[in-house]
């Protein structure tokens, strides 16, 4: 817009007055935008970004019970020398053993971990010039809210992935210890108090050690299937090597929501969640909450909903293909290339559609340990290439289609001096790959199609509290527990105050929440039918503390006026005074 006409003359007073009226209208309409509170307490500008807290678990197990048999995938965590690794698991019956995959737990973590989001909104009379076009969400009401010989305990030995395994009778402690020692298994330095409850006729132990040449980096989950009606964690034996407040994470697929039969169930007080900090105090909060239960024996339900979230996660359409197609690959290069093409490598976790920050996770481009072991046996690294030290074992497998191609071997015969790999048998190797890896993945994937519900339970336990083995059942009548929990950062246009309103209905100041309140909202028992039995309801106690602190806490927002607008208004006032004098 030009202030001077085509002839260069100043505009007449009516034109100037009209222009200033335009300025006044624009300025007054901009005032609400430029005088918003500095904290941006109000308008919801976009979808909230969910934050998933980091939860460290020393024990991580997936259970399913099918046809009277418990299927347990157990993630083994260990840091130390391979020669010092030893693992002992008590069992009620003779098991069937298979190698598992970390991929199961990666996918479970990605699909069931609780997510905490903080949205924004406003309430009250917001048509006073501070906000334009904002909704007024209403906070929820305050919610309450083969047999061994008679001379030995040995039942059988087996080779499972990177492990040498032995199943032993639990009749006699000394026979058990003597056999383990004589066969170079790590002998547990356990007291009778820890080992004793599992020593009885008709019971068994599974012992594992790493095979020669394997390292602690080769550890992989193990699948143990055995006759039993109920899944159980032998936590008493775990106490020997446990750390304080060790995380125990249990996933269960079943016909209903999973419940701890002999532990309490705790609903945490979400008013203590650090909503502004991405809920990174979640694990600490669980520790506080379960400590309020009798004997510190309690679990929190992180997730309980449809198992659909895991259907196809391990075996998406087109993955693996047919065994006969792989067996038809007649040379090592095309054989390994087919494995890459059919996505035998580790499947990346699904990208969270609510995550607007983290870029899409790249494919890990590595085979799972159980498959790596089979491929290293079939295609060892040529000595000349190994001596160069340019390739680590995983890089070798990525480059096998190049190095073992007929073209490369003709071009660089010096790289294969002294190379005597075992005869390549694609049919036998394909059979082993499908039996030891693909079939296990498909069987595990089928569990999420067989059972309608997937539950994730979590607790923390210190060694002195590990004196009762948790047993689990299923209750189809309990409500779902979604993984998403969203609080609202709510600005009150009438009082100029900002509060965080939690899913349970607590209204909290932006400052630190009080610490002198219970961490458990309720402590209850869950049966295999019916509603929870609440043993302790802390809602009134929490509400009283929050009410006593409410008067002394100020969570309001200060308004900031744009200095450019102030200057514009002063110029306008000065012009008006001059016009009046004229």
């Amino acid at each position: 817009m030009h202030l001077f006409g085509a002839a260069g003359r100043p505009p007449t007073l009516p034109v100037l007055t009209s222009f200033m009226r335009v300025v006044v209208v624009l300025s007054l309409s901009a005032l609400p935008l430029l005088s918003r509170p500095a904290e941006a307490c109000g308008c919801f500008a976009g979808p909230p970004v969910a934050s998933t807290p980091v939860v460290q678990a020393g024990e991580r197990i997936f259970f399913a019970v099918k046809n009277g048999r418990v299927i347990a995938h157990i993630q083994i965590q260990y840091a130390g020398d391979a020669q010092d690794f030893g693992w002992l698991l008590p069992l009620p019956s003779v098991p069937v053993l298979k190698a598992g995959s970390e991929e199961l737990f990666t996918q479970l973590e990605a699909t069931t971990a609780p997510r905490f989001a903080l949205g924004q909104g406003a309430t009250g009379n917001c048509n006073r010039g501070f906000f334009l076009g904002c909704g007024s969400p209403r906070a929820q009401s305050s919610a309450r809210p083969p047999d061994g010989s008679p001379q030995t305990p040995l039942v059988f030995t087996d080779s499972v992935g990177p492990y040498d395994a032995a199943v032993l009778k639990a009749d006699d402690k000394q026979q058990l210890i003597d056999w383990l020692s004589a066969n170079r298994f790590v002998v547990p330095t356990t007291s009778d108090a820890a080992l004793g409850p599992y020593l009885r006729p008709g019971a068994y132990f599974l012992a594992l050690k790493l095979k020669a040449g394997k390292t602690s980096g080769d550890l992989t989950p193990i699948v143990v299937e055995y006759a039993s009606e109920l899944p159980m964690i032998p936590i008493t034996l775990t106490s020997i090597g446990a750390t304080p407040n060790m995380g125990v994470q249990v996933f269960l697929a079943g016909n209903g929501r999973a419940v701890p039969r002999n532990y309490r169930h705790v609903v945490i007080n979400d008013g203590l969640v650090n909503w502004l900090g991405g809920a990174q105090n979640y694990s600490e909060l669980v520790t506080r909450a379960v400590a309020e239960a009798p004997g510190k024996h309690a679990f929190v339900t992180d997730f309980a909903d449809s198992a659909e979230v895991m259907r196809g996660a391990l075996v998406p359409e087109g993955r693996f293909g047919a065994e006969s197609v792989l067996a038809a690959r007649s040379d090592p290069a095309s054989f390994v290339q087919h494995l890459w093409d059919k996505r035998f490598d580790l499947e990346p976790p699904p990208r969270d559609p609510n995550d607007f920050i983290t870029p899409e996770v790249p494919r890990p481009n590595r085979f799972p340990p159980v498959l790596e072991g089979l491929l290293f046996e079939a295609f060892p690294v040529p000595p000349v290439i190994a001596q160069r030290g340019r390739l680590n074992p995983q890089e070798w497998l990525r480059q096998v289609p190049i190095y073992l191609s007929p073209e490369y071997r003709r071009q660089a015969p010096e790289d294969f001096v002294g190379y005597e790999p075992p005869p390549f048998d694609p049919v036998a190797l394909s059979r082993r790959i499908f039996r030891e890896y693909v079939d296990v993945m498909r069987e595990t994937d089928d569990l999420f199609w067989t059972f309608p519900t997937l539950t994730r339970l979590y607790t923390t336990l210190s060694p002195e509290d590990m004196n009762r083995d948790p047993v689990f059942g299923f209750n189809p009548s309990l409500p779902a527990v979604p993984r998403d929990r969203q609080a609202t950062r709510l600005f009150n246009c009438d009082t100029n105050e900002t509060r965080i309103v939690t899913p349970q209905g607590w209204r909290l100041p932006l400052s630190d929440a009080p610490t002198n309140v219970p961490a458990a909202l309720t402590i209850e028992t869950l049966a295999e039918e019916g509603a929870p039995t609440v043993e302790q309801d802390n809602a009134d106690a929490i509400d009283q503390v929050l009410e006593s602190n409410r008067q002394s806490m100020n969570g309001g927002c200060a308004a900031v006026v744009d200095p450019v607008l102030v200057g514009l208004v002063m110029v306008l006032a000065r012009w008006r005074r001059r016009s009046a004098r004229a």
Side-chain angles (χ1 to χ4, degrees), residues 55 68 125 158 246 292 364 392 412 417 423 426 432 455 465 496 539 543 547 550 564-565:
V55 177
N125 180 12
D158 199 0
M246 186 184 80
E292 296 171 8
N392 61 36
V417 174
R432 289 194 64 187
T455 305
D465 307 318
N496 287 351
D543 192 49
E547 180 62 32
R550 194 166 289 141
V564 175
L565 180 59

Side-chain angles (χ1 to χ4, degrees), residues 234-250:
I235 204 71
T236 302
L237 188 58
T238 304
S239 65
I240 299 301
T243 56
N245 298 323
M246 186 184 80
V248 179
Q249 202 169 74
V250 192

Side-chain angles (χ1 to χ4, degrees), residues 239-264:
S239 65
I240 299 301
T243 56
N245 298 323
M246 186 184 80
V248 179
Q249 202 169 74
V250 192
F251 304 89
L252 303 102
N255 289 319
R257 180 173 147 187
V259 298
R261 288 168 55 99
N262 57 343
Y263 273 49
R264 265 74 172 189

Side-chain angles (χ1 to χ4, degrees), residues 86-370:
W87 194 72
L88 202 61
L89 176 71
L91 293 167
S93 57
V94 176
V96 175
L97 307 176
K98 302 174 184 177
S101 175
E102 290 283 350
E103 201 171 335
L104 168 64
F105 294 98
T106 300
Q107 298 290 342
L108 284 170
E109 183 67 25
T111 55
T112 66
R115 297 183 299 195
F116 295 81
L118 183 60
Q120 299 190 63
T123 190
N125 180 12
C126 297
N127 295 319
R128 301 181 300 145
F130 285 96
F131 300 96
L132 293 176
C134 294
S136 300
R138 184 185 306 170
Q140 297 178 18
S141 60
S142 181
R144 310 261 175 149
D147 291 340
S149 70
Q151 309 301 322
T152 174
L154 178 65
V155 179
F156 70 87
T157 59
D158 199 0
S159 174
V160 185
Y163 307 111
D164 286 326
V167 173
L168 309 168
K169 294 179 180 179
D171 297 352
D172 183 271
K173 177 183 177 181
Q174 195 56 50
Q175 283 187 1
L176 177 74
I177 298 300
D178 290 346
W179 191 95
L180 293 172
S181 178
N183 290 274
R184 298 184 180 181
F185 282 77
V186 173
V187 177
T189 55
T190 57
S191 64
D192 288 340
L195 200 59
Y198 308 104
L199 293 168
R200 62 183 184 276
Y204 301 86
F205 279 95
L206 166 63
L208 297 181
K209 67 178 179 180
L210 283 167
K211 295 176 181 177
K214 298 294 183 180
T215 69
S216 56
D218 295 316
L219 292 176
T220 189
I222 188 166
V223 184
V224 186
E225 182 180 335
Y226 53 92
S228 182
E229 292 297 327
L230 296 170
M232 180 270 286
I233 301 176
I235 204 71
T236 302
L237 188 58
T238 304
S239 65
I240 299 301
T243 56
N245 298 323
M246 186 184 80
V248 179
Q249 202 169 74
V250 192
F251 304 89
L252 303 102
N255 289 319
R257 180 173 147 187
V259 298
R261 288 168 55 99
N262 57 343
Y263 273 49
R264 265 74 172 189
H265 180 261
V266 166
V267 177
I268 65 169
N269 170 15
D270 69 5
L272 293 178
V273 171
N274 183 0
W275 294 95
L276 292 173
Q280 293 305 317
N281 68 332
Y282 178 72
S283 189
E284 175 189 349
L285 180 55
V286 171
T287 298
R288 285 183 54 190
V290 300
E292 296 171 8
K296 300 182 180 180
H297 293 157
F299 280 87
V300 169
T301 301
D302 284 343
F303 171 87
D305 213 331
S306 172
E308 184 179 359
V309 294
M310 281 293 293
R311 291 171 186 169
L314 300 177
V315 190
E317 185 176 359
R319 192 180 189 193
F320 302 134
E323 179 182 342
S324 59
V325 176
L326 178 62
R329 303 290 172 169
S330 58
D331 64 274
S334 64
F335 188 94
V336 176
Q337 186 60 54
H338 183 81
L339 297 178
W340 290 118
D341 293 342
K342 285 298 181 180
R343 298 156 58 193
F344 279 71
D345 54 322
L346 294 169
E347 191 75 6
R351 185 175 185 271
D352 189 342
N354 294 312
D355 188 346
F356 298 96
I357 298 176
T358 306
E360 188 169 355
V361 179
R363 289 186 61 79
N365 204 28
R366 176 181 176 176
F367 292 122
V370 61

Side-chain angles (χ1 to χ4, degrees), residues 504-526:
Q504 292 171 358
W506 307 120
R507 290 174 171 266
L508 309 170
L510 291 183
S511 57
D512 292 338
T515 57
N516 57 334
V517 294
L521 176 66
T522 58
I523 300 173
E524 55 196 21
T525 57
L526 302 180

